[in-house]
Amino acid sequence: MSAEATLDQPKRHPLSAWFLRWVCSTNHKDIGTLYLFFSLAMFLTGGVMALLIRTELFQPGMQIMQPNTYNNMITMHGLIMVFGAVMPAFVGLANWMIPIMVGAPDMAFPRLNNWSFWLLPFAFSIMLSTLFMQGGAPNFGWTFYAPLSTTYGPPSTDFFIIAVHMMGVSSIMGAVNVVATVLNMRAPGMTMMKLPIFCWAMLITAFLLIAVMPVLAGAVTMMLTDRHFGTSFFNAAGGGDPILFQHIFWFFGHPEVYIMILPAFGVISEIIPTFSRKKLFGYSCMVGATASIAILSFIVWAHHMFVSGIPLGAEIFFMYATLLIAVPTGVKVFNWITTMFRGSLSFETPMLFAIAFVILFTIGGLSGLMLAMSPVDYQYHDTYFVVGHFHYVLVPGAIFSILAGVYYWLPKWTGHMYSETLGKWHFWLSTIFINVTFFPMHFLGLAGMPRRIPDYALQFTDFNMVATVGAFGFGLSQLLFLAVIYKTIRGGVPATAQVWEGAQGLEWTLPSPTPHHTFDTPPLITD
């Protein structure tokens, strides 16, 4: 374009330019950035709610809130962390990385990509607005069991149902985009068995999302008709069955657990080989294990319902099916350890988070095997043992892998190296306080403390005090993460294209920071 033509163009107002860049963007990098910042905002919001919960539980008796407000916090914390923090973070990583990993210029459906993101702020604005409505926010737990949510739910439950529908539509559109991009837009020569393992993990996760989000939509639609249109899907007085809700919810809910952890496996499988200076051990086994976990996740849902009165034969089937998932999961842990074995290891912040992930996720998995056994689940069910278990899976699992991925790719995104000192402080404080927070919960559960109660007997005081101190330590340590992001975006030591010595893949052939448009001409993959 000539200089004269450039001068003839009207200058855009800075606000208009910002609006066009971020609100109307169809660029996968911009949308990935929006997803990641949205996820961070929701993580901090859900974290504040967690600290309010732990403050209430610091000592027996009612401290700072009434029981209904406590139940509001429990419900909103779970919903925000699952649907607002973890899932959008992985979609953000997928948006940023999948096109530049497979040599594509963008995601397959850029405008759909924009829409899938912008549904989320509106969905969560609706959900958070319920805190200020008459009757309060939803107060029935993140699993919203009927009849607590249908017969006894506050009026704001209807807004919650609308928000869940919007989140589901967003997730399905994001998943369709991932599937179309990975299957149809790979660079010439990149066969499926040459895909980066993170792309495999996101592809399988996308199929899970497409399969189970309509099930969740069906459940909340039946809730809506039970509440307002005279149906009795879950109302025993009208011939329905509240247990039906549990079956439908957990048919969605257990694959949802793997929707939150399979992408984590992909991130860790990228990081460990890089800092071990070795190729990933057993690539094809890792792909097979990921697919096996996804398939098995559809036939284990009723292990959440051992105490609901399901037949003995069903209990035995779901117990063995659940124990079977330990096999492909164990394959993954074995492959990560073997990748590190005799490797030339270095311990930068992403690798520290990855190693902590392997160790602490394994602890969470072992307590999951305990819960999978029907006879002993009668003791553990609905106690703080369950709370300790799933937080060991989701915090050192999903959250640590997201943090590891951000530290790993942040220099590529910004063109600056982050502060390794601040990163390691963030890692060590987070790891210590996570264990201080969640490990005592196992003992509370074994001693008989029920979950979702705002008050408790005196004998549970000491462990609750320890857990609350740990929660505040973990929460405050995340301020270091904010400082790392801020400092890295503002400047720092320039990052090279390669960034990490042992990194391999198409994304490391691009300059740092990654240009706004990449791979207009697809690269040819020969190895």
Side-chain angles (χ1 to χ4, degrees):
M1 184 182 289
S2 68
E4 290 80 11
T6 306
L7 290 171
D8 287 341
Q9 286 184 350
K11 289 187 177 180
R12 286 200 183 103
H13 189 276
L15 188 60
S16 172
W18 181 92
F19 183 87
L20 289 171
R21 167 71 192 273
W22 292 107
V23 178
C24 302
S25 176
T26 56
N27 183 279
H28 73 97
K29 302 176 184 71
D30 288 346
I31 295 172
T33 301
L34 289 169
Y35 266 111
L36 290 169
F37 275 113
F38 175 81
S39 168
L40 179 61
M42 290 296 102
F43 176 61
L44 297 175
T45 303
V48 169
M49 292 177 177
L51 295 183
L52 290 172
I53 293 164
R54 287 311 321 170
T55 302
E56 181 57 58
L57 295 173
F58 184 68
Q59 288 184 322
M62 303 312 297
Q63 311 297 323
I64 62 169
M65 62 182 89
Q66 294 302 310
N68 188 62
T69 308
Y70 179 85
N71 288 337
N72 296 155
M73 291 297 104
I74 288 281
T75 304
M76 299 300 283
H77 165 72
L79 291 168
I80 286 170
M81 286 302 199
V82 170
F83 295 107
V86 174
M87 290 173 66
F90 283 127
V91 178
L93 291 176
N95 261 288
W96 242 107
M97 300 312 302
I98 285 178
I100 61 177
M101 282 179 155
V102 302
D106 208 313
M107 297 293 280
F109 306 115
R111 290 177 180 168
L112 194 73
N113 206 14
N114 176 285
W115 190 23
S116 72
F117 169 74
W118 282 108
L119 279 173
L120 286 180
F122 290 98
F124 280 90
S125 296
I126 291 170
M127 182 172 287
L128 287 168
S129 71
T130 61
L131 290 166
F132 309 101
M133 292 181 183
Q134 188 174 1
N139 56 5
F140 32 69
W142 85 274
T143 54
F144 45 98
Y145 276 6
L148 289 176
S149 56
T150 51
T151 306
Y152 305 108
S156 61
T157 303
D158 301 328
F159 291 87
F160 153 80
I161 290 170
I162 293 169
V164 169
H165 272 300
M166 292 173 71
M167 290 176 227
V169 172
S170 168
S171 296
I172 290 171
M173 290 194 297
V176 167
N177 228 341
V178 168
V179 171
T181 304
V182 173
L183 294 185
N184 298 321
M185 299 187 69
R186 301 189 309 278
M190 181 174 281
T191 63
M192 290 299 287
M193 293 312 287
K194 289 181 182 177
L195 269 180
I197 202 76
F198 175 69
C199 297
W200 263 115
M202 286 307 307
L203 175 66
I204 292 168
T205 301
F207 279 117
L208 279 179
L209 277 166
I210 293 167
V212 302
M213 292 311 290
V215 177
L216 177 65
V220 295
T221 302
M222 286 190 279
M223 281 174 56
L224 190 68
T225 59
D226 270 13
R227 285 173 60 83
H228 297 292
F229 297 101
T231 60
S232 296
F233 291 110
F234 311 126
N235 184 0
D241 186 0
I243 299 299
L244 173 64
F245 180 89
Q246 294 189 35
H247 281 290
I248 296 171
F249 178 84
W250 286 116
F251 188 81
F252 149 79
H254 202 77
E256 169 66 19
V257 172
Y258 294 102
I259 286 166
M260 291 189 284
I261 207 66
L262 290 183
F265 294 163
V267 172
I268 299 304
S269 298
E270 296 290 338
I271 292 171
I272 286 179
T274 294
F275 295 100
S276 301
R277 277 79 178 174
K278 288 173 62 181
K279 285 192 174 181
L280 179 68
F281 179 85
Y283 170 93
S284 57
C285 291
M286 290 291 266
V287 172
T290 305
S292 300
I293 291 169
I295 293 166
L296 289 170
S297 73
F298 285 101
I299 61 168
V300 297
W301 77 88
H303 69 219
H304 297 272
M305 301 170 56
F306 282 149
V307 301
S308 67
I310 61 175
L312 179 62
E315 286 194 30
I316 292 171
F317 169 80
F318 285 108
M319 178 174 70
Y320 282 124
T322 305
L323 293 170
L324 187 61
I325 286 191
V327 176
T329 309
V331 167
K332 286 182 166 294
V333 174
F334 172 81
N335 284 16
W336 291 324
I337 293 171
T338 309
T339 302
M340 289 186 279
F341 182 65
R342 292 188 175 176
S344 179
L345 272 66
S346 61
F347 298 99
E348 288 84 356
T349 305
M351 185 62 161
L352 291 175
F353 274 107
I355 293 171
F357 167 94
V358 174
I359 296 168
L360 298 178
F361 176 78
T362 302
I363 293 173
L366 291 173
S367 62
L369 288 176
M370 296 169 68
L371 289 161
M373 294 184 284
S374 175
V376 293
D377 183 68
Y378 277 75
Q379 171 71 22
Y380 305 141
H381 191 83
D382 270 345
T383 70
Y384 259 77
F385 188 90
V386 178
V387 180
H389 155 69
F390 70 69
H391 279 92
Y392 257 91
V393 171
L394 289 179
V395 184
I399 299 294
F400 265 29
S401 71
I402 292 165
L403 295 174
V406 169
Y407 278 109
Y408 184 56
W409 287 308
L410 190 61
K412 175 58 63 179
W413 300 338
T414 63
H416 307 128
M417 295 302 295
Y418 61 85
S419 167
E420 196 67 56
T421 302
L422 277 180
K424 286 182 176 175
W425 270 103
H426 176 222
F427 164 75
W428 283 111
L429 289 173
S430 296
T431 303
I432 290 166
F433 283 121
I434 268 181
N435 287 285
V436 173
T437 305
F438 299 119
F439 205 75
M441 293 183 184
H442 295 86
F443 299 115
L444 286 168
L446 291 173
M449 181 175 169
R451 62 194 287 198
R452 293 183 184 147
I453 56 169
D455 193 8
Y456 52 84
L458 284 172
Q459 67 262 32
F460 303 130
T461 304
D462 291 345
F463 278 135
N464 270 301
M465 293 176 76
V466 170
T468 298
V469 170
F472 272 88
F474 178 72
L476 292 173
S477 65
Q478 302 320 301
L479 298 177
L480 289 172
F481 182 55
L482 296 179
V484 168
I485 294 172
Y486 179 77
K487 284 170 63 71
T488 310
I489 291 173
R490 289 294 299 271
V493 178
T496 62
Q498 179 74 10
V499 182
W500 309 111
E501 181 188 334
Q504 295 188 1
L506 284 178
E507 69 268 35
W508 308 111
T509 65
L510 297 169
S512 302
T514 313
H516 198 240
H517 296 285
T518 47
F519 295 127
D520 291 331
T521 302
L524 179 64
I525 308 301
T526 56
D527 183 13

